[in-house]
Amino acid sequence: MNNNKMVERIYPPNQLTPLNEHDYIQLPINFIHDLAQADCLQSLLDKIAFWISQIFQAERTSITLYDRAHFLKLYSISGNQAIPLEFKVPIQQTFVGRVFSTATLRICDDVTLFEELDCHMLAQNGMGSCMDAPLMHKGKCLGTLNVADRAKFHYTKQQAILLQCLANWIGLNIKLHLQVQEMQKLTSTDELTGTFNRRMFTQQSNQHMLLFFNTQTPFSMGILDIDHFKTLNDFYGHQAGDYVLQQMCEHIQSHLNEHDFLARIGGEQFAIIFPTHAVKDAVNRFKQIRTAIEDMKLPYQEEIICFTVSIGVAEAQITDLNAETVFKRADKALYQAKLAGRNRVHFDVPTLSI
């Protein structure tokens, strides 16, 4: 790393202001149009990566955003895949991590002379130099905007000014999309358990019902209720009840795949949707969830909390008028499971009109 100073140029924000009031940035009209049309964060970042690669004629353009402690997440790449999209970029011991943590644009004139992980990956895939700018919003760094070229000593200070100006403007766009994303999450998520809420359950069940009517794609719905939850709350306290709900949801999630759906629809009651599953398979999966919950032993203060659940299951049928009809049948099955002694899965068998 002793050679870094010879091939690394650092530009604090105050050095990257326009040279005078007559300076301007010329951008493709379609770039502005595409950014205005982006309907989600990923779409926005994909469009930015594409157009930045065009503007700088870059061999590689990438965008990272802060993901969680110690890591940046690659959200979009245009061009060379030297650092693949699924790679989690550590903030420590990477060039892009130094850009993020110092909120300072940096130019690496020769990536082969750097020992940092990302520079090594770029060099291995034919890149010679890179320029990374912090994505800023109100003094906070959201991530980085990065370009790379096969040639060494490729980037100029004038290009650095352009990239940082664009990064500042893009940072505002990203922040707005992040705020919308957070608002959507708040309106669709149960605050206590982190699962979806009843509003999202209604939306999802309607979508599955529409798909069922149009393509006969089956789905099964389960209504899960914690047995004797009021007694549990009274004995251990409401904080313990909240803890049980949170831990149970985590346990259920571990038994679901990416297409399954879990929502808290009220109190200690939850809805699970298994799409494209024959009812026999769905019932078996619900039985596995019931058994897994029965086997849970939750340490709480000096106690061990054990509990069970009852589950009512219904499969969408051509006789169902809408998703609400399927829900009512699953809820009826839940009632039957409770009457039969709780801690069981009961399937509603629809009666056909003659």
Side-chain angles (χ1 to χ4, degrees):
M1 294 292 289
N2 292 334
N3 293 326
N4 283 7
K5 292 182 179 178
M6 300 170 55
V7 293
E8 179 181 7
R9 283 174 285 154
I10 303 171
Y11 293 105
N14 60 1
Q15 292 185 24
L16 292 177
T17 54
L19 299 179
N20 58 65
E21 62 182 9
H22 301 295
D23 287 339
Y24 63 92
I25 295 175
Q26 188 172 11
L27 297 174
I29 291 175
N30 284 340
F31 179 28
I32 310 300
H33 175 77
D34 278 358
L35 259 63
Q37 295 299 312
D39 58 358
C40 67
L41 179 63
Q42 188 61 57
S43 173
L44 175 78
L45 298 178
D46 288 343
K47 293 174 187 298
I48 290 170
F50 170 78
W51 282 108
I52 293 297
S53 68
Q54 300 297 305
I55 293 167
F56 285 86
Q57 297 184 336
E59 295 279 351
R60 170 187 169 85
T61 299
S62 65
I63 300 170
T64 71
L65 295 180
Y66 179 73
D67 182 38
R68 51 192 170 87
H70 313 305
F71 286 94
L72 298 171
K73 180 180 178 181
L74 272 163
Y75 272 80
S76 192
I77 299 172
S78 179
N80 188 290
Q81 302 288 310
I83 304 173
L85 201 60
E86 64 273 11
F87 182 73
K88 293 284 188 181
V89 183
I91 295 174
Q92 295 296 320
Q93 299 181 341
T94 58
F95 185 82
V96 73
R98 285 198 288 125
V99 170
F100 173 79
S101 58
T102 62
T104 302
L105 184 142
R106 294 171 184 263
I107 298 175
C108 175
D109 286 316
D110 186 350
V111 296
T112 65
L113 299 179
F114 280 63
E115 297 174 3
E116 290 166 309
L117 178 60
D118 50 346
C119 289
H120 181 67
M121 295 172 76
L122 290 173
Q124 279 190 321
N125 287 271
M127 297 294 98
S129 58
C130 65
M131 177 169 61
D132 300 352
L135 291 162
M136 303 300 296
H137 180 260
K138 292 186 176 180
K140 181 179 179 180
C141 187
L142 306 175
T144 64
L145 177 61
N146 322 296
V147 291
D149 195 87
R150 293 186 179 275
K152 299 176 183 178
F153 295 90
H154 179 73
Y155 294 105
T156 66
K157 182 177 180 180
Q158 197 65 33
Q159 287 177 309
I161 292 173
L162 174 59
L163 187 65
Q164 189 60 67
C165 287
L166 289 173
N168 293 340
W169 173 55
I170 289 167
L172 172 61
N173 281 268
I174 290 173
K175 184 63 178 179
L176 291 173
H177 276 269
L178 286 172
Q179 288 173 338
V180 169
Q181 198 175 69
E182 183 62 24
M183 289 175 62
Q184 289 174 338
K185 182 179 178 181
L186 290 173
T187 59
S188 64
T189 305
D190 175 61
E191 184 178 2
L192 176 66
T193 63
T195 63
F196 290 110
N197 57 20
R198 186 164 193 132
R199 174 177 172 272
M200 281 300 293
F201 165 68
T202 301
Q203 180 179 316
Q204 283 290 314
S205 57
N206 287 338
Q207 288 178 359
H208 283 294
M209 200 69 202
L210 183 62
L211 186 64
F212 173 73
F213 283 145
N214 291 336
T215 66
Q216 286 72 58
T217 302
F219 74 93
S220 295
M221 181 187 299
I223 309 302
L224 178 152
D225 189 272
I226 298 178
D227 298 324
H228 304 295
F229 187 68
K230 183 180 184 302
T231 302
L232 186 152
N233 263 337
D234 291 343
F235 186 81
Y236 294 104
H238 286 279
Q239 286 187 333
D242 289 347
Y243 176 68
V244 165
L245 293 173
Q246 292 166 337
Q247 294 300 307
M248 183 189 73
C249 286
E250 286 188 19
H251 210 62
I252 293 174
Q253 292 283 13
S254 69
H255 287 78
L256 304 182
N257 63 43
E258 61 179 332
H259 301 296
D260 300 332
F261 179 85
L262 170 66
R264 185 185 183 192
I265 57 175
E268 68 274 21
Q269 198 166 89
F270 295 81
I272 302 173
I273 297 175
F274 288 145
T276 67
H277 276 75
V279 67
K280 183 178 179 180
D281 293 334
V283 169
N284 286 335
R285 292 187 65 194
F286 281 117
K287 287 180 178 179
Q288 291 171 2
I289 290 173
R290 185 208 62 76
T291 301
I293 292 173
E294 183 182 21
D295 292 340
M296 289 177 69
K297 294 177 174 57
L298 298 180
Y300 182 78
Q301 296 178 356
E302 297 180 358
E303 303 280 350
I304 298 293
I305 299 178
C306 298
F307 62 98
T308 62
V309 298
S310 300
I311 306 175
V313 182
E315 182 187 36
Q317 302 288 329
I318 57 173
T319 52
D320 289 316
L321 299 176
N322 48 41
E324 180 66 18
T325 310
V326 184
F327 173 81
K328 287 180 178 178
R329 290 197 293 108
D331 196 46
K332 175 185 173 184
L334 172 63
Y335 178 72
Q336 294 297 324
K338 295 281 189 180
L339 282 181
R342 296 182 170 84
N343 189 25
R344 64 193 63 219
V345 176
H346 189 88
F347 172 60
D348 176 76
V349 180
T351 56
L352 298 177
S353 299
I354 300 177

